[in-house]
């Protein structure tokens, strides 16, 4: 069976390679301009592991002078031909581009390490090879990638001073805050990564155990999982990255169900190097997707501009633009801000008055949608998950609504929930949803987030403070906002014992609320 899967990978890589080389290098190249040269090579990575790679060199390169180097590690589960369209464009612009399949996937050797130390060592080995075997300039080296390639690029820049610029697209800065936010397993995200890893690669025994513990909700291994994730998170090495000084561009999508944008925005604020943050509608890696086929794409255009300025010294003005660039999910073009804190310059509190008790273990009908599908529908058709707020069963869902707004409310940034919770069991999970509710009572999902607790005393109240996933959404005039809280969502693993009940209250000395960030008018 393993041999069959390897044969399938080999055949698939060959077919995709032939198609992309023919279509990208020949079909998309201008008729009057020679195409860059493409070589498929083997590179010896850390510990002797063979990494499959391709090198795209500017047309006419004869060794008489050097070119800036850009290294592109592949995304999770994708072969080394992933970036050929963009590699050609970059080579046309005067870069040597080396893309390689990360260890453990497709035809590269080794096992999947999830951006562990061998992966970071591999990135440096790839740079070494490029400097020895291509006309690459050692003074001007950049790294970029989508998803897994983004995470590896950031970690490599924190460990290798030779890297001067990074473009990290749809990546992570904090792995635990991504798939274990609110101390809650993001089930569909984890299963998607696990399934793709099994299908296209070879999981290490350590990774297999991490996934098994993740699914099993084994708290005896929780700290072990957190430590494992921190070792693979560039947020752990932010001081090192700042010291090395690489210019960092981060791009992500509001609806990313693998790596929610909160963790990227938090990391962005800690950077002291030249930096840029771009957030757009979409789900994981969907904002960059058309660019992988050589089509016009804002993310890849700005990636090229970023490298042109910080590797070539081009005066293209990207360093003078507002460094935080956002595009609302519901309207308009790009908005510029001087920093992340300025995004939601005004905060409006919505009171969560009274005392409400709900029963656990039943999905009320409010949920965050389906991984990938829901946010893609929002991206292309502005159709996020919906719920009829009046029809949500109050036995299983707590609901609070604002007044109708007389003017449009431009939600920007991170909404936060503060409430007092009294559970009847020692453990549990809640999921909070913020909806845009129209005149007929139908709510469009604005944002959500899960929250899990353990080892609480039944019947004893405690404070819950929860940041919902960051977003940019325009609530039309005449609509209202609704906060809904229930206990079951297919996106997440829940921890509510059978028969559990949750009571939300708003003490006079500590009132409950949702704080909604609004764009300054």
């Amino acid at each position: 069976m393993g041999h069959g899967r390897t044969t399938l990978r080999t055949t698939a890589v060959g077919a995709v390679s032939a198609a992309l080389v023919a279509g990208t290098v020949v079909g998309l190249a201008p008729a009057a301009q020679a195409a860059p040269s493409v070589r498929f090579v083997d590179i010896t990575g850390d510990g002797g592991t063979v990494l499959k790679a391709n090198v795209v060199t500017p047309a006419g390169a004869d060794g008489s002078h050097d070119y800036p180097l850009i290294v592109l590690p592949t995304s999770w589960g994708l072969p080394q031909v992933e970036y050929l369209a963009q590699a050609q464009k970059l080579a046309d612009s005067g870069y040597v581009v080396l893309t390689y399949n990360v260890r453990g996937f497709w035809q590269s050797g080794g096992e999947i390490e999830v951006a562990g130390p061998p992966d970071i060592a591999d990135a440096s080995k790839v740079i070494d090879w490029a400097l020895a075997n291509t006309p690459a300039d050692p003074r001007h080296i950049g790294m970029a990638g989508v998803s897994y390639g983004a995470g590896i690029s950031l970690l490599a820049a924190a460990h290798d001073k030779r890297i001067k610029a990074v473009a990290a697209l749809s990546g992570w800065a904090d792995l635990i805050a991504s798939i274990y936010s609110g101390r809650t397993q993001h089930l569909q995200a984890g299963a998607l990564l696990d399934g793709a890893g099994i299908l296209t690669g070879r999981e290490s025994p350590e990774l297999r155990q991490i996934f098994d513990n993740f699914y099993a909700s084994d708290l005896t291994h929780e700290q072990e999982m957190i430590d494992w994730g921190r070792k693979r998170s560039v947020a752990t090495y932010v001081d090192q990255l700042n010291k090395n000084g690489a210019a960092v561009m981060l791009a992500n999508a509001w609806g990313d169900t693998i790596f929610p944008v909160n963790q990227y925005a938090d990391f962005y604020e800690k950077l002291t190097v030249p930096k840029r943050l771009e957030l757009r509608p979409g789900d994981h890696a969907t904002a960059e997707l058309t660019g992988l086929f050589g089509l016009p794409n804002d993310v890849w255009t700005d990636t090229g501009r970023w490298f042109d300025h910080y590797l070539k010294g081009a005066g293209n003005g990207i360093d003078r633009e507002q460094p935080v660039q956002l595009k609302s999910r519901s309207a308009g073009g790009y908005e510029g801000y001087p920093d992340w804190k300025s995004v939601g310059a005004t905060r409006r509190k919505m009171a969560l008055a009274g005392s409400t008790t709900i029963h656990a273990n039943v999905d009320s009908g409010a949920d965050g949608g389906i991984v990938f599908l829901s946010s893609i529908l929002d991206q292309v058709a502005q159709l996020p998950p919906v719920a009829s707020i009046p029809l949500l069963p109050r036995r299983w869902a707590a609901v609070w609504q604002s007044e109708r707004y007389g003017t449009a409310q431009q939600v920007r940034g991170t909404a936060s929930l503060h409430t007092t919770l009294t559970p009847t069991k020692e453990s549990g999970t809640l999921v909070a949803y913020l909806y845009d509710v129209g005149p007929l009572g139908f709510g469009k999902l604005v944002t959500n987030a899960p929250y899990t607790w353990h080892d609480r005393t039944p019947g004893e109240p405690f404070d819950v403070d929860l940041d919902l996933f960051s977003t940019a959404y325009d609530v039309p005039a005449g609509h209202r906002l609704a906060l809904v809280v229930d206990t079951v969502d297919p996106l997440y693993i829940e921890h509510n014992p059978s028969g559990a009940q949750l009571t939300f209250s708003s003490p006079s000395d500590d009132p409950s609320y949702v704080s909604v960030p609004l764009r300054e008018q």
Side-chain angles (χ1 to χ4, degrees):
M1 187 170 182
H3 174 72
R5 198 164 66 202
T6 300
T7 302
L8 176 63
R9 290 193 199 113
T10 303
T11 303
V13 170
V16 175
S17 299
L20 281 177
V21 170
T24 302
V25 177
V26 178
L28 298 181
Q33 180 178 327
S37 67
V38 180
R39 287 189 293 147
F40 290 86
V41 300
D42 290 351
I43 297 175
T44 302
D46 185 58
T49 297
V50 174
L51 306 174
K52 297 293 182 176
N54 58 65
V55 181
V56 186
T57 307
D62 57 7
S64 61
H65 70 278
D66 293 338
Y67 300 87
L69 169 68
I70 296 177
V71 175
L72 302 169
T74 51
S75 302
W76 185 274
L78 293 184
Q80 77 266 24
V81 294
E82 174 188 4
Y83 301 114
L84 270 180
Q86 286 302 320
Q88 184 214 351
K89 289 188 175 185
L90 289 166
D92 282 340
S93 299
Y95 294 94
V96 170
V97 186
L98 193 155
T99 81
Y100 72 97
N101 224 124
V102 293
R103 65 171 53 224
F105 284 104
W106 293 88
Q107 298 308 299
S108 285
E111 298 174 324
I112 302 171
E113 299 286 347
V114 193
D119 289 303
I120 309 313
D122 283 346
S124 292
K125 292 283 189 180
V126 167
I127 292 172
D128 292 342
W129 186 95
L131 294 179
N133 295 277
T134 74
D137 186 343
R139 301 165 301 169
H140 300 103
I141 298 172
M143 283 193 71
V146 176
S147 184
Y148 196 36
I152 289 175
S153 294
L154 286 169
L155 284 159
H159 289 83
D160 193 326
K161 295 179 181 179
R162 296 174 297 180
I163 300 168
K164 304 302 181 185
V166 173
L169 317 179
S170 290
W172 78 91
D174 188 329
L175 196 55
I176 295 301
S178 295
I179 61 173
Y180 194 58
S181 72
R183 211 177 173 187
T184 308
Q185 298 99 318
H186 293 213
L187 174 62
Q188 290 186 15
L192 186 68
L193 294 172
D194 188 11
I198 291 172
L199 182 64
T200 64
R202 299 165 300 281
E203 294 180 343
S204 68
E206 180 185 35
L207 175 58
R208 184 68 261 153
Q209 191 62 57
I210 288 291
F211 272 125
D212 290 345
N213 292 339
F214 180 85
Y215 298 136
S217 304
D218 188 346
L219 291 178
T220 62
H221 293 286
E222 182 183 35
Q223 190 58 50
E224 177 185 327
M225 181 182 72
I226 290 172
D227 292 342
W228 176 88
R230 283 176 177 163
K231 184 185 294 185
R232 290 159 171 81
S233 300
V234 72
T236 303
Y237 312 101
V238 63
D239 291 342
Q240 209 168 308
L241 181 61
N242 285 331
K243 182 179 179 181
N244 286 352
V248 175
M249 172 180 154
L250 306 171
N252 209 339
W254 294 116
D256 194 320
T257 44
I258 308 293
F259 303 129
V261 299
N262 297 48
Q263 46 91 32
Y264 243 22
D266 291 344
F267 174 68
Y268 173 83
E269 286 293 275
K270 298 173 183 175
L271 290 173
T272 58
V273 296
K275 58 184 180 178
R276 183 179 177 92
L277 175 66
E278 300 186 355
L279 299 172
R280 301 172 174 83
D283 204 312
H284 183 65
T286 62
E288 302 88 0
L289 183 60
T290 57
L292 295 179
F293 295 97
L295 300 174
N297 182 277
D298 289 353
V299 188
W300 286 104
T301 295
D302 286 347
T303 295
R305 295 174 63 223
W306 190 253
F307 286 134
D308 285 349
H309 180 74
Y310 286 102
L311 296 183
K312 289 183 176 180
N316 56 20
I318 197 168
D319 57 317
R320 299 190 298 275
E321 297 172 359
Q322 295 276 42
V324 177
Q325 295 286 322
L326 312 182
K327 191 173 185 180
S328 170
R329 291 165 46 202
S330 44
Y334 289 95
E335 305 163 1
Y337 299 86
D339 51 40
W340 176 249
K341 294 177 182 177
S342 301
V343 170
T346 303
R347 299 197 75 91
R348 184 169 188 166
K349 284 188 177 181
M350 175 178 137
L352 309 179
S355 179
T356 302
T357 298
I358 62 173
H359 295 251
N361 311 118
V362 173
D363 188 343
S364 71
D367 63 59
I370 301 171
V371 64
F372 275 125
L373 177 61
S374 297
S375 290
I376 291 174
L377 285 173
D378 186 36
Q379 178 183 2
V380 301
Q382 295 184 14
L383 291 175
V386 298
S388 175
I389 304 305
L391 296 181
L392 289 175
R394 281 4 185 216
R395 178 179 176 84
W396 296 296
V399 180
W400 298 267
Q401 296 191 71
S402 72
E403 75 282 1
R404 284 193 176 89
Y405 297 117
T407 59
Q409 305 293 297
Q410 296 181 308
V411 179
R412 299 290 186 273
T414 309
S416 57
L417 165 66
H418 173 76
T419 190
T420 298
L421 171 62
T422 305
T424 59
K425 304 289 185 178
E426 69 283 352
S427 298
T429 297
L430 63 84
V431 186
Y433 311 88
L434 192 65
Y435 283 98
D436 160 25
V437 185
L440 298 180
F442 286 100
K444 292 184 176 181
L445 186 65
V446 177
T447 181
N448 77 99
Y451 180 90
T452 294
W453 64 93
H454 298 285
D455 301 322
R456 290 287 180 176
T457 302
E460 184 174 305
F462 63 92
D463 289 344
V464 171
D465 288 288
L466 174 64
D467 284 344
L468 279 63
F469 299 137
S470 304
T471 194
Y473 183 96
D474 296 353
V475 180
H479 287 213
R480 57 175 98 220
L481 285 171
L483 181 82
V484 177
V485 180
D486 72 3
T487 62
V488 176
D489 190 305
L491 286 172
Y492 312 113
I493 291 178
E494 53 95 5
H495 300 263
N496 297 293
S498 180
Q501 298 179 34
L502 311 180
T503 297
F504 302 93
S505 58
S506 184
S508 57
D509 61 343
D510 186 20
S512 297
Y513 61 84
V514 172
S515 177
V516 180
L518 301 174
R519 183 184 181 190
E520 190 169 17
Q521 301 296 308

